[in-house]
Amino acid sequence: MKYKMLLAVIMGNILEFYDFMIFAHLSTVIGPLFFPSDSPDKSHLAILGVFALSNISRLVGAIYFGSMADKEGRKEAVAKTVLLMSLPTLLIGLMPTYATIGVLATIIMIGLRFMQGVAMGGEYNNSGLLLMENFPKNKGIVSGILSSSCQVGSLIALGLVYIVLMFREIEWLWRATFIFGSVFGLISYRLRRVIMESDEFKLFEANKKVKRSADTEGFKEIFKDYRNFIALIAVGGLVGALVWIPITFTNFYVTKTLKLPNEIGLDATLTAIITYIISCVVMGYIADKFKPIKVMLIACMGLIVFAYPLFGFLVKQNFTAFQILITLFTGAFVGPVHAFTVNLYSVNKRGRAVSLGFGLGVGIIGSTTPIVAPYLIEVTGSHYAPAMYLMVLSALAFLSMVKSKQFSDLQEEEEEEEELSLSASK
């Protein structure tokens, strides 16, 4: 039954990220239709701004669905998020453009993307909690599978974008990609309605601890463990940056900064997505062998040292090498991330703490990376400026993680193992 639950959660995650990412991959098509401008670059930046806004709206979803996960259960939260994602996706596929209803089209589009962001705020982390609490002995690999499934959805979206670009003369074809996503989102909702609740949550619920705590404490209790909460923000920020740099920023850099054909940008994105999917699973497996926090800390150190030379590949237009190498580091950090976050708080606080802390990091830091990175290049005149930004985020994540409860627990565990080893040798 647990593996049926794993399948249902993964399928739902794939479809929900498809719904969310099809918008980003079609930004060059959708931008002029809903955000017309005298400059194509401005239209594209506007659509990326809406993309960032929808990520910031994840905070609203984090608060609402995080609280729901602690009060009503992880299952209830993840079922409703996929339903909330499907409705605006359908409406985006059906709504008239700026040419038909003017600025109202722009306003409606922003509102629909906001709704999608709210759904995303409750999806990724609560799905992670549900799986981590049901697979305590395989957290790393299960976390890696969940993380990789996000880009499986993005890969499906990218494949359909290739078709849309091949047949640009069919004006309505882009709409079909959104309608497709909404239909399968409803199927995903049905799958999630029949999955099992988290074992840990059921145990606490049976003791009447979860509901009492969630009803009386609200969000104030999660700030008492401020080191863990800061770690969630820093980790979420780096996760977002590591995902959006190869998936979104590189495409923008190739097509807008270097003025190369869209097909080259899409090929670079495809390379990153495939490498990401594989590396998350592999690194999740490795994390089960050597501890998730260790793998993530090594990834941070690697980025601090190698981010600058890595961007040399991008600047010299060796896009394949850049995308593969940056996503290998991404997999090492993002793959085991759920196995790290799940142990920062007790069961009755996890939904709110992880959703809000991680959501703050992704929404404010990570999701703005596709806009911040080009801005840094423009202001500094250096195409290596985004590398410096990534190095700073990696250093902050590293420092916050070594101050967290997870690192303290790891040290205590290693000391106990060392003592046992010494006793056995005597």
Side-chain angles (χ1 to χ4, degrees):
M1 285 298 292
K2 284 188 177 182
Y3 288 97
K4 289 182 179 179
M5 179 197 67
L6 174 62
L7 179 62
V9 172
I10 296 302
M11 287 183 64
N13 203 52
I14 289 171
L15 294 169
E16 193 153 352
F17 269 82
Y18 165 87
D19 287 350
F20 193 70
M21 290 301 297
I22 191 70
F23 187 90
H25 292 325
L26 282 173
S27 59
T28 56
V29 176
I30 297 174
L33 296 176
F34 294 93
F35 303 88
S37 172
D38 55 353
S39 167
D41 287 353
K42 290 181 180 178
S43 291
H44 190 67
L45 280 173
I47 207 76
L48 286 178
V50 174
F51 184 70
L53 173 66
S54 62
N55 274 282
I56 294 172
S57 67
R58 291 173 66 152
L59 298 180
V60 177
I63 294 171
Y64 179 75
F65 288 107
S67 181
M68 179 185 293
D70 284 340
K71 290 180 180 179
E72 302 176 32
R74 291 30 166 158
K75 170 185 171 180
E76 191 69 19
V78 299
K80 289 182 177 177
T81 57
V82 76
L83 183 62
L84 180 61
M85 178 66 80
S86 300
L87 178 59
T89 301
L90 175 63
L91 294 177
I92 289 174
L94 298 176
M95 68 178 290
T97 64
Y98 188 96
T100 304
I101 60 174
V103 71
L104 184 60
T106 304
I107 295 171
I108 293 173
M109 177 63 78
I110 292 172
L112 292 175
R113 284 299 290 176
F114 189 90
M115 288 176 62
Q116 286 188 319
V118 171
M120 286 298 298
E123 162 64 21
Y124 185 59
N125 293 295
N126 286 319
S127 292
L129 293 181
L130 178 63
L131 293 180
M132 294 302 97
E133 291 172 358
N134 274 295
F135 292 88
K137 295 182 180 179
N138 307 103
K139 289 179 180 177
I141 184 66
V142 173
S143 175
I145 292 171
L146 179 62
S147 295
S148 70
S149 71
C150 301
Q151 294 308 321
V152 172
S154 188
L155 182 61
I156 296 170
L158 190 63
L160 292 181
V161 169
Y162 271 106
I163 296 173
V164 171
L165 293 178
M166 285 175 59
F167 299 95
R168 280 181 178 270
E169 66 277 8
I170 306 177
E171 296 182 359
W172 54 264
L173 192 57
W174 69 269
R175 296 181 180 277
T177 63
F178 286 90
I179 295 171
F180 168 83
S182 66
V183 170
F184 277 87
L186 294 174
I187 295 173
S188 174
Y189 170 72
R190 175 58 184 164
L191 288 173
R192 289 187 172 192
R193 292 304 304 173
V194 298
I195 62 176
M196 297 187 302
E197 182 54 84
S198 155
D199 289 341
E200 286 190 57
F201 183 85
K202 286 191 294 186
L203 179 61
F204 270 80
E205 189 179 43
N207 295 329
K208 303 297 182 182
K209 291 181 179 179
V210 172
K211 290 186 177 180
R212 182 169 61 250
S213 173
D215 289 339
T216 58
E217 293 176 357
F219 278 84
K220 65 181 181 181
E221 286 297 309
I222 66 177
F223 300 116
K224 290 183 178 180
D225 298 323
Y226 68 92
R227 289 184 179 181
N228 290 335
F229 194 71
I230 291 172
L232 284 169
I233 295 173
V235 167
L238 183 55
V239 165
L242 286 172
V243 171
W244 302 135
I245 283 177
I247 303 300
T248 305
F249 164 72
T250 301
N251 195 337
F252 179 86
Y253 182 82
V254 170
T255 59
K256 303 304 176 182
T257 303
L258 300 180
K259 308 296 183 182
L260 296 175
N262 285 336
E263 288 72 15
I264 295 178
L266 287 174
D267 286 342
T269 303
L270 178 61
T271 300
I273 290 174
I274 292 173
T275 309
Y276 178 99
I277 292 170
I278 297 171
S279 65
C280 278
V281 177
V282 172
M283 293 301 177
Y285 174 80
I286 293 173
D288 278 333
K289 304 295 182 182
F290 299 101
K291 307 293 183 184
I293 190 172
K294 287 185 178 180
V295 175
M296 294 173 70
L297 288 173
I298 292 172
C300 287
M301 290 187 289
L303 287 165
I304 293 169
V305 174
F306 295 111
Y308 195 90
L310 272 180
F311 268 75
F313 289 107
L314 183 64
V315 174
K316 295 173 183 176
Q317 300 187 23
N318 192 340
F319 305 126
T320 300
F322 173 76
Q323 294 289 73
I324 290 175
L325 292 172
I326 195 70
T327 45
L328 285 175
F329 281 108
T330 300
F333 191 80
V334 179
V337 70
H338 296 289
F340 170 77
T341 59
V342 71
N343 290 326
L344 292 176
Y345 284 86
S346 58
V347 180
N348 58 315
K349 302 175 186 176
R350 281 178 191 159
R352 289 160 291 157
V354 176
S355 293
L356 181 58
F358 195 90
L360 280 168
V362 172
I364 296 175
I365 302 171
S367 68
T368 56
T369 299
I371 296 175
V372 171
Y375 177 76
L376 289 174
I377 292 174
E378 182 180 346
V379 170
T380 64
S382 172
H383 289 216
Y384 288 88
M388 304 300 293
Y389 181 67
L390 188 58
M391 291 163 68
V392 170
L393 293 181
S394 300
L396 292 174
F398 181 90
L399 291 172
S400 69
M401 290 173 71
V402 298
K403 294 290 185 180
S404 70
K405 176 180 179 294
Q406 271 272 48
F407 192 75
S408 300
D409 291 346
L410 176 65
Q411 288 181 312
E412 291 178 3
E413 184 178 332
E414 290 182 340
E415 288 174 1
E416 290 177 0
E417 289 177 356
E418 186 177 347
E419 289 177 2
L420 289 174
S421 179
L422 289 172
S423 299
S425 64
K426 291 178 181 179

